[in-house]
Amino acid sequence: QCLVGSEMCIRDSSFFVEAVHEMRTPLSLILGYLGQLVQNRELDGLVSTQVLSAYRNTLALQDMMYQLQDIRHGDDVANHMRIARYDLVDITKQICDLFVDWVAMNNVDFQVNTQTAKLWIWLDRRKMEYALRTLLSNAFKNTFVYGKVTLDISVVRKDGKAYCSLSVQDEG
């Protein structure tokens, strides 16, 4: 929303769109280098884990950049829900992997509890990944060193229907 005047908003919007556009090349280059390192079988275990974590976090950053680009371009298609059937446990594990280094560096006791190895539900994957990243990021930022963060995934039955419950508890 413009508060100062239309000329200021056009300039700010143009700057924002241009800045997001300029991020694409460096991110692509970083992803290319990290992708090559991820496939390198000669790396030792710790370095390989750290490279994989950097690769996954860069992918998440690239996805967020594309979402910003879609929003700023007013892409109506990008704002629609894209519902498909996904395994929520698998998606959750992938998002949790983004925080492996943070957990290790801060000695946080991080637990993921599930009732089942797989939980197939209908959802918009991008929106769910964004929500999980946000919930976990806030939990870790607000939890002190040696603190505890717990993520629970369960099935709750109410009035003869099954619902998925996902909750994050932290000590922050």
Side-chain angles (χ1 to χ4, degrees):
Q1 190 93 19
C2 293
L3 300 176
V4 179
S6 61
E7 183 180 328
M8 181 68 159
C9 288
I10 290 169
R11 246 183 308 175
D12 289 347
S13 178
S14 296
F15 171 78
F16 184 83
V17 169
E18 186 66 27
V20 169
H21 179 76
E22 290 300 318
M23 284 187 253
R24 289 179 5 179
T25 300
L27 276 174
S28 294
L29 292 170
I30 292 167
L31 278 169
Y33 297 135
L34 289 173
Q36 289 174 354
L37 287 172
V38 165
Q39 294 175 2
N40 186 343
R41 303 284 182 220
E42 296 177 17
L43 296 177
D44 74 3
L46 177 61
V47 172
S48 179
T49 301
Q50 291 172 332
V51 167
L52 183 58
S53 180
Y55 181 74
R56 287 178 176 156
N57 279 292
T58 306
L59 280 174
L61 187 60
Q62 184 183 49
D63 185 55
M64 287 184 271
M65 186 223 30
Y66 285 134
Q67 288 178 39
L68 285 172
Q69 196 173 21
D70 290 345
I71 290 168
R72 294 306 297 176
H73 279 61
D75 186 353
D76 289 334
V77 174
N79 294 321
H80 286 84
M81 298 284 284
R82 294 181 179 107
I83 305 295
R85 192 168 176 252
Y86 293 100
D87 176 10
L88 183 62
V89 175
D90 183 54
I91 290 172
T92 301
K93 287 179 182 177
Q94 290 176 25
I95 297 301
C96 290
D97 285 345
L98 299 175
F99 296 94
V100 167
D101 293 332
W102 178 271
V103 169
M105 286 187 297
N106 292 287
N107 294 307
V108 172
D109 178 12
F110 179 47
Q111 302 290 320
V112 178
N113 303 317
T114 65
Q115 292 177 337
T116 180
K118 298 211 174 274
L119 181 58
W120 293 94
I121 63 171
W122 293 91
L123 57 85
D124 182 313
R125 184 179 182 120
R126 273 187 156 183
K127 288 179 177 29
M128 178 55 74
E129 287 176 344
Y130 174 79
L132 279 168
R133 272 195 313 269
T134 302
L135 284 170
L136 289 173
S137 177
N138 288 338
F140 289 126
K141 280 191 280 188
N142 294 303
T143 299
F144 297 107
V145 174
Y146 299 107
K148 183 175 184 175
V149 174
T150 306
L151 188 150
D152 293 308
I153 301 172
S154 60
V155 176
V156 178
R157 298 200 182 277
K158 183 175 180 183
D159 299 328
K161 294 183 181 180
Y163 298 90
C164 175
S165 171
L166 188 138
S167 65
V168 176
Q169 294 90 34
D170 62 74
E171 296 178 342

